[in-house]
Amino acid sequence: ELQLSLTTGSHGENAVPMGGVPHDAAEGYLAQLLEKGYTVAVCEQMEDPKAAKGLGKRAVTRVLTPGTVVEDSGLVAKGHNYLGAVYWDEEQSGGGFAWVDYSTGEWSGLSSTRAADLWQWVLKLSPRELLIPDLSEELFRLPEGIALGGVMPVRVPTGSFFDLKSGAGKILKAQGVAELGALGLDGREELTRACGALLTYLIQTQKHDLSHLAPFTPLSLEKHLVIDEISERNLEIFRRLDGKKGRGTLYHVLDHTVTPMGGRMLEERLRHPWRELGPIAETQDAVAYLAKSDTLREKLRKALDTVYDLERLSTLICLNRTSPKDFVALLQSLASLPAVREA
């Protein structure tokens, strides 16, 4: 897959194919594997070789998957990298879809009594990986005419991933709250199951606490306009009719954002615009104010130009996966904030 020369770890019947890369170049190779849809287990020495008797103790310290990338080489600066989970209960005629961008800590979800609407949102957000319960075709199937396209389905055991009680417990622990109502999940059993599946997957693959996750905020379909997948495609909001991004799309025309955070916020606003008048008017006032003041707008853009991706930098620090350049970027970003505030 990576065009590496193979060697073997031992000889004879038990020969194991191996390939080596320089340690400082590993990230690029790992990004290629993830892009191809592979999952990569990372094993490390857990004790000092000098103190070890015989072969040093090793353990899996992290499992890399396409939907849980946090390193820059595997991410689009102004794009989201979602891991999703969907659960549908045929008896209750209700379901939930939850998604998390592990690189920023942002997560959300929605409930619906119509399976087709739920899958429309799956297609709209296009998570790199989608956790689905390992149930029979009769109990869990894709609605007619729905094709997942680039979304990679990951079947997981229903009992251990989508269990309501254990899922609720994991959510309360990760968010540091006493009841689900504080997160808008009270009475939303299917959505709670989907959120629990996300956390179970992250705990198993990342082997790290989830303290960097932002407070869960369900997406309210009453507050946001639902642009279905067909309309989004025909309007060429994010992709042209030929399926490609970039020039010719509405997002490309509008995106003059300076920071990665701004680019992602613009994407969110275009994906589910406000339906309520209050936030729309507030946004229009802010835009009108900055449109009239060329000097102020230029001053603000210049101040933001030295602000790096604070969301993803703080995640890397929380997960202890930083390099010296990340701290330099954080230092420079924080030093720029007074100028941003002044502008």
Side-chain angles (χ1 to χ4, degrees), residues 46 51 68 88 93 118 186 201 276 298 304 333 337 341:
M46 304 304 287
T68 59
W88 176 259
S93 292
L118 215 57
D186 201 23
Y201 191 73
E276 294 182 319
E298 191 54 44
L304 285 169
S333 300
L337 293 183
R341 186 176 182 182

Side-chain angles (χ1 to χ4, degrees), residues 258 297-307 336 339-340:
V258 180
R297 192 173 68 252
E298 191 54 44
K299 187 180 178 184
L300 184 56
R301 287 180 66 83
K302 189 177 178 183
L304 285 169
D305 197 37
T306 47
V307 175
S336 304
V340 173

Side-chain angles (χ1 to χ4, degrees), residues 322-341:
T322 45
S323 65
K325 71 178 176 66
D326 295 323
F327 285 103
V328 172
L330 179 66
L331 174 71
Q332 198 165 333
S333 300
L334 295 176
S336 304
L337 293 183
V340 173
R341 186 176 182 182

Side-chain angles (χ1 to χ4, degrees), residues 191-313:
L191 181 54
T192 301
R193 288 177 189 270
C195 290
L198 287 181
L199 297 186
T200 303
Y201 191 73
L202 290 174
I203 291 165
Q204 286 193 6
T205 58
Q206 303 307 297
K207 303 190 180 296
H208 200 283
D209 70 67
L210 304 174
S211 57
H212 83 286
L213 291 183
F216 180 84
T217 311
L219 185 71
S220 170
L221 298 182
E222 295 169 3
K223 293 181 179 179
H224 295 276
L225 184 68
V226 181
I227 304 174
D228 64 77
E229 193 253 340
I230 295 167
S231 299
E232 191 176 286
R233 188 173 68 236
N234 289 339
L235 291 168
E236 298 183 298
I237 298 176
F238 298 108
R239 293 178 185 273
R240 301 196 303 262
L241 289 175
D242 62 8
K244 293 182 180 176
K245 293 182 178 182
R247 192 177 293 276
T249 63
L250 179 63
Y251 180 79
H252 183 267
V253 172
L254 294 178
D255 182 26
H256 292 278
T257 56
V258 180
T259 69
M261 285 110 35
R264 291 195 293 269
M265 181 182 279
L266 176 63
E267 183 196 310
E268 285 174 27
R269 288 287 174 270
L270 287 173
R271 205 174 288 286
H272 34 83
W274 289 108
R275 178 182 259 167
E276 294 182 319
L277 221 57
I280 293 172
E282 194 178 320
T283 303
Q284 288 176 334
D285 287 348
V287 171
Y289 179 76
L290 288 166
K292 288 173 190 167
S293 178
D294 293 345
T295 308
L296 178 62
R297 192 173 68 252
E298 191 54 44
K299 187 180 178 184
L300 184 56
R301 287 180 66 83
K302 189 177 178 183
L304 285 169
D305 197 37
T306 47
V307 175
Y308 289 86
D309 198 332
L310 285 168
E311 287 178 333
R312 285 178 173 164
L313 283 171

